[in-house]
Amino acid sequence: MLLTGATGFVGQALARHLAADPHWQLRCAVRTHAPASLPGAICSGLDLQHEAGWAAALDGVACVIHCAARVHVMQETAADPQQAFRAANRDATLRLAQQAVAAGVRRFVFVSTLKVNGEATRGEQRFRADDPAQALDPYGISKHEAEQGLRELAAATGLEVVIVRPPLVYGPGVKANFRALLRALEHGLPLPLATVDNRRSLVFIDNLVDFIALCCRHPAAANQTFLVSDGADLSTPQLLRGLAAGLGRPARLLPCPPAWLSFAARLLGRSGMTDRLLGSLAVDIGKNRELLGWTPPVGVDEGLRRTAAAYRTDRVQD
């Protein structure tokens, strides 16, 4: 098995999981120096942004898990962001898949994004795996175009393609906005989110890894698209209270009309994060249960507890 993006948040967790599975001999493709703890690291120098020859890495491989991607860029420097995303997420993915076909790889598991479905759900709506794509931003569009190219390649060559679209992934070591929430709760900051009434699907890292591993080996996963989550949606207040409980701190949530928060965020240029805290983004994972017999092994409450506990441990060690 070949795993790309093995030094990322999801990739590292996958590498640890798959290295312990006796059914697979793992290779981890890395662009630069790999940490000593990463099992099976090879292929230093392979870069999504440039033409890459994957023949040596793919030799004897039965399955590829493609996690490497250009993700959200906080301070964009590319003159044409859409083209930069396409080069890394569409073009490089299809080059790798084409070379995988030439090497005799049987299955290609592509870690995509829920952004292919869209940015928000309304009311009781839940996104489903087979819904029409509604990608809006350069990242989501590039992933959708990669999915389309992979399906065309599968139809033409017989390569088994599995597409997995996760929502927000959290767990021990999570960074960015999720870590910022943990920091705010740790310091007891008052958060004006008590009256937010939304539904968001998240996926704990161990659940995502377990599902991707299943997609590598289950016969019925071939040429399917899946959404994945913890199987239970949370409102923002529920999320914050769950994290605060894991930290051993109270969640200081204050009431404030969400419309006011949204307006203030737009004035301050912070609408992106605020939209995620106020809006809904729910998914239906019934297909996973029905087709693959999969249910999340870790409940969302336990996932939040482990995430908060790991954050607390990291802060003590720092």
Side-chain angles (χ1 to χ4, degrees):
M1 174 182 292
L2 177 68
L3 170 65
T4 74
T7 57
F9 179 53
V10 174
Q12 289 189 59
L14 266 170
R16 290 191 296 269
H17 181 89
L18 294 169
D21 188 334
H23 295 95
W24 299 106
Q25 183 177 356
L26 180 64
R27 297 176 186 172
C28 295
V30 296
R31 183 176 60 182
T32 55
H33 178 70
S37 59
L38 188 65
I42 63 166
C43 312
S44 179
L46 293 179
D47 191 334
L48 289 179
Q49 299 291 351
H50 302 95
E51 295 285 343
W54 293 90
L58 292 166
D59 184 39
V61 166
C63 179
V64 171
I65 305 176
H66 186 42
C67 290
R70 186 180 201 260
V71 296
H72 310 291
V73 180
M74 297 303 293
Q75 295 181 335
E76 183 62 77
T77 59
D80 184 347
Q82 183 66 81
Q83 185 52 41
F85 276 105
R86 281 180 168 137
N89 298 341
R90 181 194 64 186
D91 300 344
T93 295
L94 298 181
R95 279 198 304 271
L96 172 59
Q98 288 159 359
Q99 293 181 49
V101 170
V105 171
R106 177 177 56 85
R107 182 166 291 192
F108 192 99
V109 179
F110 180 53
V111 181
S112 186
T113 172
L114 186 58
K115 281 179 166 286
V116 172
N117 284 78
E119 298 289 338
T121 52
R122 308 289 180 188
E124 297 299 313
Q125 177 193 10
R126 292 174 180 271
F127 282 140
R128 293 176 171 80
D130 301 317
D131 287 343
Q134 301 179 69
L136 297 176
D137 71 353
Y139 174 60
I141 291 169
S142 67
K143 286 286 195 174
H144 178 226
E145 291 174 348
E147 291 183 10
Q148 292 175 304
L150 288 171
R151 292 190 188 100
E152 292 171 1
L153 186 65
T157 66
L159 177 69
E160 296 177 356
V161 169
V162 187
I163 294 167
V164 179
R165 297 178 189 158
L168 176 66
V169 185
Y170 71 99
V174 68
K175 305 294 184 185
N177 290 335
F178 208 95
R179 188 173 182 86
L181 289 177
L182 284 164
R183 188 181 303 113
L185 292 166
E186 178 191 32
H187 291 294
L189 299 180
L191 301 172
L193 299 166
T195 54
V196 175
D197 182 18
N198 60 346
R199 295 192 310 161
R200 295 198 72 88
S201 297
L202 312 174
V203 63
F204 183 54
I205 185 67
D206 288 10
N207 289 337
L208 177 59
V209 164
D210 184 78
F211 185 71
I212 292 173
L214 178 62
C215 287
C216 293
R217 64 179 185 271
H218 199 298
N223 301 314
Q224 297 290 335
T225 299
F226 298 99
L227 309 185
V228 59
S229 78
D230 291 337
D233 301 331
L234 297 175
S235 68
T236 295
Q238 288 172 326
L239 168 64
L240 295 171
R241 291 185 182 111
L243 290 173
L247 292 170
R249 301 289 181 89
R252 299 183 62 195
L253 305 182
L254 306 177
C256 182
W260 292 9
L261 294 174
S262 183
F263 179 71
R266 279 164 172 74
L267 289 178
L268 297 172
R270 299 297 301 272
S271 59
M273 182 178 181
T274 305
D275 288 346
R276 288 188 285 274
L277 290 171
L278 303 181
S280 293
L281 187 61
V283 306
D284 184 337
I285 62 169
K287 179 179 179 179
N288 308 17
R289 298 188 182 100
E290 295 163 7
L291 196 61
L292 307 184
W294 184 82
T295 55
V298 181
V300 65
D301 291 339
E302 176 63 12
L304 295 177
R305 187 196 67 77
R306 293 187 196 177
T307 302
Y311 171 83
R312 187 172 53 189
T313 300
D314 290 345
R315 293 287 289 167
V316 169
Q317 292 175 348
D318 290 344

